Amino acid sequence: LQRFALGCLFYSTNQVATELNPNPGSWTDNTNVWMSDEHECDWPGVDCTTEEKVHSISLEHNGLSGKLPFELGLLWEHLKVLELSFNDITMEGFDWDVFLYLPNLQKLAMSANHVVSNSGVPDQLLACKKLRKIVLSDNDISGPLENGVLDNMGKLTHLEIEYNALTGYLNVLSKLPALEQIYLRHNALLGHLNFLKADMPKLLSIWLDGNSIDKKIPTEIGKLTNLRSISIADDELTGTIPSEVGLLTNLQRLWLYRNELTGSVPSELENLTNLELLKLEENDLTGAIPSKVCETFNHSSYSKSAITADCDKVSCECCTECF
């Protein structure tokens, strides 16, 4: 059955014309091996268990077009990973129903395809009760982030839906205590950052640039001590940078440029001894970049290390660029 299911995938996505891609090419790779006499577990992009059951399909950057066949459901018992980003797959409406038959899926990656949803994260994904990673950036997903789907994904560790048109608020993120990475840049999200007040001990990254977040950074952010990177740039943040940011001693990168932040740069930033990048320009901040931040920066081996600020208002001895 699994050979049949993989065959259906091949014939449903190899040189299949669509309205958006009327003249698709063949798969970039794998076409000489797929559907050959080789065991399906030896086909490029297919990984199997020791019992030769398909548990992963990874065909990114491979020229797939058309739609995913429902026969993928025949792989339901063992299929955990589906990586199909950077192709020309079309997904809209009832096409999402294929996920009703993949209850053991743990990772779904379909960035940069023609994936469409007008109601936020599609509710068909609720059937994937073990889902841990969602990667759907650079598609056409609109509608509210808070549509009742993410509320029921308590095992989710990685949420990546950037460069789409999601709307509404971020409160639902507080219901996802296992989250490690949040990547929601360049949508149309609104409001505050109160979800950061929740108990999210595993959180490593928050990237929310290019939305309309217009409230203060809560002081409770200082409790998220595993954070490695914070990127909330080109938003509408107001108020000060809370001194509690200095409690994030694992923090490596902090982007807060192009907001409406006021007050002094907190001296507590000197406690960030792992900091490699700090971008604070195009705000209304005053004060000085702490000298210990400069010392940390000067010892960094990160190739893209940078410190930037509005040097006419913020004293900075080590800025790599002034605005």
Side-chain angles (χ1 to χ4, degrees), residues 7 11 19 26 31 35 57 68 83 86 106 108 118-119 126-127 161 187 212 216 227 233 237 256 263 269 295 299 309:
Y11 289 116
E19 184 177 347
S26 59
T31 51
M35 311 313 299
I57 300 172
L68 297 183
E83 296 176 322
F86 305 101
Q106 295 182 13
L108 171 63
N118 298 321
S119 57
L126 284 171
I161 311 179
N187 281 282
S212 296
K216 297 180 179 180
L227 275 172
L237 287 175
L256 293 174
L269 293 186
E295 291 176 18
H299 289 94

Side-chain angles (χ1 to χ4, degrees), residues 195-206:
F195 74 92
L196 294 176
K197 298 179 181 181
D199 185 19
M200 305 177 78
K202 298 180 179 180
L203 197 58
L204 300 173
S205 303
I206 308 167

Side-chain angles (χ1 to χ4, degrees), residues 275-304:
L275 197 63
E276 300 172 330
L277 185 147
L278 176 65
K279 294 180 72 68
L280 300 177
E281 73 271 13
E282 297 186 60
N283 282 288
D284 200 18
L285 296 167
T286 58
I289 302 295
S291 58
K292 287 189 177 180
V293 171
C294 291
E295 291 176 18
T296 299
F297 171 75
N298 289 332
H299 289 94
S300 173
S301 60
Y302 178 49
S303 62
K304 297 183 180 179

